[in-house]
Amino acid sequence: MVGVPRSSGCQLCRTRRVKCDELRPGCGNCRKYGVECPGYERGLKFISGKHQIRQRGKRSEPSPSDAALGAGSTPETNASHTAALIAAPKPNRGEFINTIVATVRTNMSQSDITGFLSWIELGRLGTRAVLDGAMCSVAMHLLGKEMSDQTMVAHSRSVYGKSLGSLQASLCHATEWKSPETLCAAMLLCVFELFAGTTSSDTWLQHARGVGTLMEQRGPAAHREGWDAMMILAFRGVLIMCDMFFPTGEACFLSRPEWKPIIRDGGRHLIHPPQLPEHTIHIVDGFFERLAELPAVLGPAHGLRESRTMGTVQQPQPETIAALARRAVECRRLFYAWYEEFKTLSVTPEEVPSKDPNSPFPVVLQHRVAWAGSMHMGYWASILILQEALVQCQWPEDFGESRSELVQNILRSLESVGAGTMGPYRVGFSVRIAYEFASAEHQDWILGLLDRFKKTYAATDRATYPKPRPDGENEPPS
């Protein structure tokens, strides 16, 4: 069947089923809600299958996720008009969410959004409320922060709250818990917490832990191909960060032999643009494969440092310390080898004058490609972790000069790699590690930077950082 929409309003007003004033080039409703008006072109609607008439009094059974989000409710019974649209019939829901996502991509710079939402299969929107609500909450929050629209940010939180209930219902369902839509929704709500921090700035860690558990229960085979493979590739960094900052005492599950092949794109371009060379993708894969080994070093090294600082905890056995040292040395060797390959991509940063009047560095590092700058910083932070582990193992090597250079490289990169709405997301890991080894002066500067980052990215809240060292104490504890 073929039909033409009857309304002459713009596409978004037709989707929302509200009266459009039909002003051009953009209608008043779109300006009011701070979105780009999609225009007035009336496309054809193709409907496959035979026309069916539903008998009076009968209605289809909603899925658990639809029921939890209120798929049968009316706009008057919802907390906001946005929440009502998410709870609308599935086709309308999909059109609305796609419009919001398209607006996010239009308003945010390509350098920020490229790769960040590439793992979302937009064709799945409108099929399950658990996914629709999660996607809408993230998209609206990012757009609201980008446009400084507090009303939109508030609406995103309302939708987020409903989406949590929808996710819980899906996770408790006999089959829905292992669907890719449920996994994607869980990941999106974790992303929402990274930027919003609804109850605290580290709530994302609890979400990430849940996502990792869900992936483990689904098993490696469930993530080998297709959308499921895209999702674990896109989320591997968050899962590894979770194991670093929320340790369980075990190695990251992504470092196990059965999972190692799963976190490699292998040149399939699942989350990368098609023009990216396969050689580059293999280098990116290699970085995350090495990063997944770090939690097994960071946890014991941190425990060893704490035990020596407190002086009351029983020291580990010499063979345990020797095993940790061997693991740290091997990880460092692999990272060194990876970095030599990474440098073949010709993404070395340039030294340029700082444009930040508050920067303690007159000359900073300018990274032309944001993702490559983030990977540079991640490498430097990883070497800092491995060097500190060796210090705690009383390794006979002086890391003082190297440590200072690595910290300076990270801090001098913040101006370029940390710019934009997605900047704090790119630098969160490396700046947290550099803070541990920075001078008291630079620690104070970092905390001021975090206050600025927190406006868009809650995970960089200074409350999650240790207090700065006293003035004049420029050396980290050893």
Side-chain angles (χ1 to χ4, degrees), residues 146-213:
E146 179 78 5
M147 301 176 64
S148 300
D149 186 336
Q150 294 306 313
T151 300
M152 185 175 293
V153 171
H155 283 343
S156 75
R157 289 175 177 266
S158 175
V159 177
Y160 169 80
K162 293 178 180 294
S163 299
L164 282 177
S166 179
L167 177 60
Q168 184 177 14
S170 292
L171 290 173
C172 293
H173 191 268
T175 57
E176 284 289 306
W177 72 269
K178 54 186 175 183
S179 72
E181 288 83 2
T182 298
L183 175 61
C184 185
M187 292 167 56
L188 284 168
L189 295 183
C190 179
V191 170
F192 184 93
E193 283 290 355
L194 279 165
F195 285 87
T198 55
T199 55
S200 69
S201 54
D202 58 357
T203 306
W204 72 270
L205 288 168
Q206 302 171 28
H207 279 258
R209 177 65 65 207
V211 171
T213 300

Side-chain angles (χ1 to χ4, degrees), residues 264-444:
R264 296 188 67 88
D265 181 286
R268 291 174 291 175
H269 290 83
L270 292 176
I271 60 171
H272 302 285
Q275 67 272 18
L276 197 68
E278 288 190 16
H279 174 64
T280 303
I281 295 176
H282 284 296
I283 292 176
V284 173
D285 287 342
F287 174 77
F288 285 105
E289 186 172 341
R290 285 153 179 77
L291 199 67
E293 303 288 343
L294 277 187
V297 175
L298 178 61
H302 182 267
L304 185 57
R305 188 173 81 173
E306 290 297 302
S307 68
R308 286 178 172 159
T309 301
M310 298 295 293
T312 57
V313 183
Q314 183 178 1
Q315 295 292 313
Q317 295 295 319
E319 55 268 24
T320 302
I321 296 177
L324 175 59
R326 288 194 297 272
R327 175 172 286 180
V329 168
E330 177 62 13
C331 282
R332 186 176 63 164
R333 183 189 69 80
L334 292 173
F335 263 111
Y336 282 163
W338 171 85
Y339 191 60
E340 290 302 312
E341 193 175 8
F342 178 62
K343 288 190 294 186
T344 64
L345 300 181
S346 301
V347 289
T348 304
E350 301 176 6
E351 289 193 329
V352 298
S354 172
K355 297 180 181 179
D356 182 0
N358 298 317
S359 175
F361 305 103
V363 177
V364 296
L365 296 178
Q366 176 69 44
H367 296 264
R368 298 187 305 275
V369 183
W371 70 261
S374 179
M375 200 157 286
H376 258 118
M377 296 174 69
Y379 165 75
W380 294 325
S382 299
I383 297 301
L384 279 172
I385 290 173
L386 295 170
Q387 287 184 353
E388 178 61 16
L390 291 173
V391 167
Q392 296 307 319
C393 295
Q394 299 180 334
W395 192 256
E397 188 174 345
D398 183 9
F399 297 111
E401 185 176 347
S402 173
R403 173 195 291 161
S404 178
E405 181 182 358
L406 292 169
V407 171
Q408 295 271 325
N409 285 345
I410 293 172
L411 299 186
R412 292 202 299 148
S413 298
L414 288 173
E415 190 169 323
S416 64
V417 186
T421 301
M422 298 299 298
Y425 177 83
R426 290 191 292 262
V427 304
F429 160 61
S430 53
V431 73
R432 177 63 184 85
I433 301 302
Y435 179 86
E436 291 283 340
F437 306 98
S439 67
E441 175 192 358
H442 289 158
Q443 282 188 332
D444 285 332

